[in-house]
Amino acid sequence: MLHHTHLPPVAFARVRWGPWHGEALRRWSQVVSVSAPSPGRFSSSAVALAVILPVLGIFILVGIYIIWKQRRSKENLLSDHAKEKGRLYKALKLKRAAANSGWRRARLHFVTVTLDPDTAHPKLILSEDRRCVKLGDTRQPVPNNPQRFDFVVSVLGSEYFIAGCHYWEVSVADKTKWALGVCSESVSRKGKVTASPANGHWLLRQNRGNEYEALTSPQTSFRLKKPPRCVGIFLDYEAGVISFYNVTDQSHIFTFTHSFSGPLRPFFEPCLHDGGKNMAPLIICSELQKPEESTVPKPEEKGLANGDVALQVDPFLLPAQAPELLPLRDMILSWPSDIGPALQGLKVPSF
């Protein structure tokens, strides 16, 4: 019968945990002690991570804020642009309305203007009623008085304006060049004249086609949406304003501002023939009526020469002849129906 010898528990433990086990356990404890940081000390990577994460978060927040700010600025810019566009549109409408009402108010000061033959260049031919002027081919034998233009083919109105508001209209239909406006009575009439406000001229000129100039210093060039067949000139002496209007579409063209002193007179220049394209006359419109057909004598005819004295001759003593009429059917203008009553009773001021 076999007897099993039982080892004591202590001996058994010695068998399982020999010396080599103790060495392994010692080494493992050293590794653990190296890997795990001691209390109160942090590794450099942990410190770096602790610093980088908040900074990165701050950068992200700043980036989000910048993007939001840019989007907000863009939205505000678009909103401001839309508001500015609307404001400009309203301003343009108001400006057009003001120009239209200004033209209608100016017409309330309509006056009859006639041409002064003593100031007309020798080549200019005036109609008998002194409301029509065109350039002839030859110089007429007229007195060379101090008031007459001898270089610029111009003529002044007979009226002198020293106060108040005055408005007149001139037909420029079928013309390619012309100059109209107001000038000082003291302007130079002899030799070449530079037209400018400094020299006493406030003029508007058509150069060619749809090109126009206000004779400022330097000149102001512009184009018009609709070329005028009739130009309105308005003078407010006390306010220092000379405005030009396109009667064809009732729009404002240009305004001079100046502090006036001394008499002012209407100015007319039909300009040169422009190769035969600018033969039509300038016609001053009459108050409360359409432009009438006027007889413009040829240079060789015995009409009213510039500066000559008009003689009253019995028509029965003259041979019968048919007067030569200008083709003015295209120059007849229509007055608006609403302006007639406003002009009733107005009288032309005498100077």
Side-chain angles (χ1 to χ4, degrees):
M1 185 174 180
L2 296 174
H3 297 277
H4 296 282
T5 303
H6 295 278
L7 297 176
V10 176
F12 181 74
R14 285 179 180 175
V15 172
R16 293 192 60 183
W17 298 97
W20 64 274
H21 287 93
E23 182 66 22
L25 182 60
R26 185 176 58 82
R27 291 181 179 178
W28 179 83
S29 63
Q30 289 177 355
V31 171
V32 172
S33 64
V34 171
S35 301
S38 60
R41 296 183 62 188
F42 297 94
S43 65
S44 60
S45 59
V47 173
L49 189 61
V51 173
I52 290 174
L53 286 178
V55 172
L56 184 60
I58 293 174
F59 275 114
I60 292 174
L61 292 177
V62 170
I64 294 174
Y65 174 78
I66 292 175
I67 294 174
W68 174 83
K69 194 72 174 177
Q70 289 178 345
R71 291 188 61 183
R72 186 68 178 270
S73 299
K74 186 176 181 179
E75 292 174 357
N76 291 338
L77 184 63
L78 292 176
S79 177
D80 293 343
H81 178 72
K83 291 179 181 179
E84 182 68 13
K85 187 176 180 180
R87 188 186 67 80
L88 291 176
Y89 179 73
K90 290 180 181 178
L92 181 60
K93 288 184 66 176
L94 290 174
K95 183 178 179 181
R96 289 176 177 173
N100 186 277
S101 61
W103 171 75
R104 292 187 180 278
R105 287 197 303 268
R107 269 194 157 188
L108 298 177
H109 303 280
F110 200 102
V111 297
T112 299
V113 172
T114 57
L115 302 171
D116 182 1
D118 291 335
T119 65
H121 185 277
K123 277 192 174 183
L124 293 181
I125 303 172
L126 278 57
S127 62
E128 287 191 34
D129 58 8
R130 298 183 182 178
R131 291 195 301 107
C132 180
V133 57
K134 75 172 186 177
L135 181 65
D137 296 325
T138 59
R139 297 174 70 94
Q140 300 178 79
V142 293
N144 185 21
N145 54 58
Q147 297 81 25
R148 189 181 306 281
F149 291 97
D150 65 356
F151 185 85
V152 182
V153 287
S154 306
V155 58
L156 300 183
S158 300
E159 290 70 28
Y160 294 75
F161 301 131
I162 57 175
C165 297
H166 312 276
Y167 174 85
W168 60 97
E169 294 178 347
V170 183
S171 172
V172 295
D174 301 325
K175 293 192 67 63
T176 59
K177 293 184 177 183
W178 48 263
L180 296 170
V182 178
C183 73
S184 173
E185 162 63 19
S186 60
V187 294
S188 175
R189 319 288 174 86
K190 305 301 180 181
K192 188 174 182 179
V193 178
T194 301
S196 68
N199 293 332
H201 303 83
W202 298 272
L203 308 180
L204 183 73
R205 177 172 68 188
Q206 180 183 12
N207 257 347
R208 62 185 68 85
N210 196 29
E211 297 180 6
Y212 298 84
E213 289 179 342
L215 300 188
T216 54
S217 183
Q219 297 171 354
T220 303
S221 302
F222 53 88
R223 291 175 174 268
L224 296 179
K225 200 170 186 180
K226 188 170 185 180
R229 294 179 61 82
C230 183
V231 176
I233 300 101
F234 173 67
L235 165 65
D236 187 336
Y237 195 100
E238 284 77 12
V241 169
I242 298 175
S243 295
F244 295 83
Y245 295 94
N246 184 348
V247 180
T248 305
D249 61 1
Q250 305 177 11
S251 63
H252 172 261
I253 300 177
F254 191 84
T255 292
F256 289 93
T257 57
H258 194 83
S259 180
F260 303 124
S261 62
L264 302 180
R265 302 180 67 176
F267 179 96
F268 307 86
E269 184 178 337
C271 294
L272 302 180
H273 287 155
D274 193 19
K277 296 181 292 184
N278 193 38
M279 303 294 292
L282 290 173
I283 301 176
I284 304 173
C285 304
S286 294
E287 184 181 7
L288 296 177
Q289 60 181 339
K290 301 175 182 178
E292 300 175 355
E293 291 185 344
S294 302
T295 302
V296 181
K298 295 181 179 179
E300 64 273 14
E301 293 179 345
K302 298 294 184 180
L304 179 63
N306 301 336
D308 291 349
V309 178
L311 299 178
Q312 298 293 334
V313 181
D314 190 346
F316 293 101
L317 300 179
L318 299 176
Q321 58 181 1
E324 183 181 0
L325 298 179
L326 290 175
L328 300 179
R329 58 182 179 276
D330 293 335
M331 302 178 184
I332 297 178
L333 305 176
S334 299
W335 288 87
S337 58
D338 60 343
I339 203 67
L343 295 175
Q344 293 290 345
L346 289 179
K347 296 183 179 181
V348 182
S350 58
F351 297 93

